[in-house]
Amino acid sequence: MITKKPVADVRAFGAVGDGVTADQAAFQAANDYLVDGGTILVPAGTYLFESSLWLSANVNLLGTGAASVIKCNSMLAGGGVSA
């Protein structure tokens, strides 16, 4: 599907993707930037989340397959995901 909505690269918002640095704030900033919707680009890397991420209904995540990893410490520590 081709989209005309903007794309926001999480690295432009400060994401590091080294698996050590907490990156969820950069993802949230990218989401907030896409006021009218769009796509958050997640380049290859391991992105660490220490807290929740809230995506707008009109925002998508686009990674590079298995090379884009989101590691969530809160879930690893026994947390969960609710829909």
Side-chain angles (χ1 to χ4, degrees):
M1 174 192 257
I2 298 173
T3 180
K4 293 183 180 181
K5 292 190 177 187
V7 174
D9 186 326
V10 291
R11 294 174 300 185
F13 294 88
V16 178
D18 63 1
V20 176
T21 306
D23 291 312
Q24 77 276 358
F27 278 73
Q28 195 67 60
N31 174 78
D32 297 346
Y33 170 78
L34 297 169
V35 176
D36 294 322
T39 301
I40 297 174
L41 177 63
V42 185
T46 299
Y47 299 89
L48 176 64
F49 284 21
E50 296 281 347
S51 62
S52 298
L53 171 67
W54 297 96
L55 292 179
S56 301
N58 56 354
V59 171
N60 300 299
L61 291 177
L62 176 63
T64 55
S68 297
V69 176
I70 294 176
K71 178 176 144 184
C72 182
N73 274 349
S74 62
M75 288 179 64
L76 294 175
V81 175
S82 60

